[in-house]
Amino acid sequence: MTYDSAGPINGFQEAVDGVTFTFATGGQFRNIGAWTSVIDPADAALSFGGGGGNASSFTLMVSADIMLTSFLGFAQQFNTGAIFDVTGLGVASLGNSFATEGFLLSGTPGVNSFIGGPLQLLSGQLYTFTTTNSGFATLSHLTGLEFSKIAPIPLPAGLPLMLLALGGLALVRRRAS
């Protein structure tokens, strides 16, 4: 991946709350500002859609299991907003779109839910965001992702004690025979 804060890039990583998000595309991301959190709304946005050199698809990989609950952003004013699918291992959220419109420097991002509800993303897996209507005038700006970490399932406290007891019984039985 290359990173050039002054121009288009084809990928970048961002760490937030102990989770690293890796974005990549075969094309170029445009309109990226200084990234201080996962697509910070105070900065320029990740623009995608079609035409104008904007990425029509990109991949996302995370370093920990998360639940992606919603996305923030808006469709570019006077353009057709991108309609996009999110696919990957166990995920098929089809027909997502932005509910609000605005201009890149003055738009107010709206919070949007994924079709079918929150998406469970697993560590190390690739998930693809693909525009399904990528015409020349299709453009949207992704300004944020809301997520929560999936807590590991704790080992019940009594399980190690039960295993120790079973081992002790096996040892007593072995000595008795």
Side-chain angles (χ1 to χ4, degrees):
M1 289 186 285
T2 60
Y3 180 84
D4 175 2
S5 60
I9 61 173
N10 67 1
F12 61 96
Q13 288 186 325
E14 200 55 49
V16 178
D17 293 335
V19 179
T20 300
F21 292 76
T22 303
F23 296 84
T25 182
Q28 295 179 334
F29 291 123
R30 294 182 181 270
N31 302 322
I32 288 183
W35 295 76
T36 57
S37 67
V38 176
I39 313 174
D40 187 346
D43 300 319
L46 186 157
S47 301
F48 73 106
N54 293 297
S56 58
S57 71
F58 63 90
T59 59
L60 171 64
M61 185 169 54
V62 293
S63 65
D65 295 349
I66 65 166
M67 191 65 70
L68 200 56
T69 54
S70 59
F71 59 98
L72 289 79
F74 51 90
Q76 175 70 31
Q77 188 78 40
F78 304 124
N79 288 68
T80 301
I83 298 172
F84 65 96
D85 297 342
V86 182
T87 56
L89 182 66
V91 171
S93 180
L94 311 177
N96 297 285
S97 62
F98 296 89
T100 58
E101 291 185 352
F103 291 106
L104 182 59
L105 298 177
S106 62
T108 301
V111 177
N112 305 276
S113 298
F114 289 99
I115 299 293
L119 310 178
Q120 182 175 350
L121 306 186
L122 302 176
S123 176
Q125 298 295 320
L126 282 178
Y127 296 91
T128 304
F129 289 64
T130 305
T131 14
T132 58
N133 64 334
S134 58
F136 180 73
T138 303
L139 182 59
S140 289
H141 306 290
L142 186 63
T143 60
L145 296 172
E146 293 182 347
F147 72 97
S148 60
K149 291 184 201 176
I150 298 174
I153 299 171
L155 184 63
L159 187 59
L161 292 173
M162 185 177 78
L163 292 175
L164 184 62
L166 288 174
L169 288 175
L171 185 61
V172 168
R173 182 173 181 200
R174 185 173 169 209
R175 284 188 184 187
S177 39

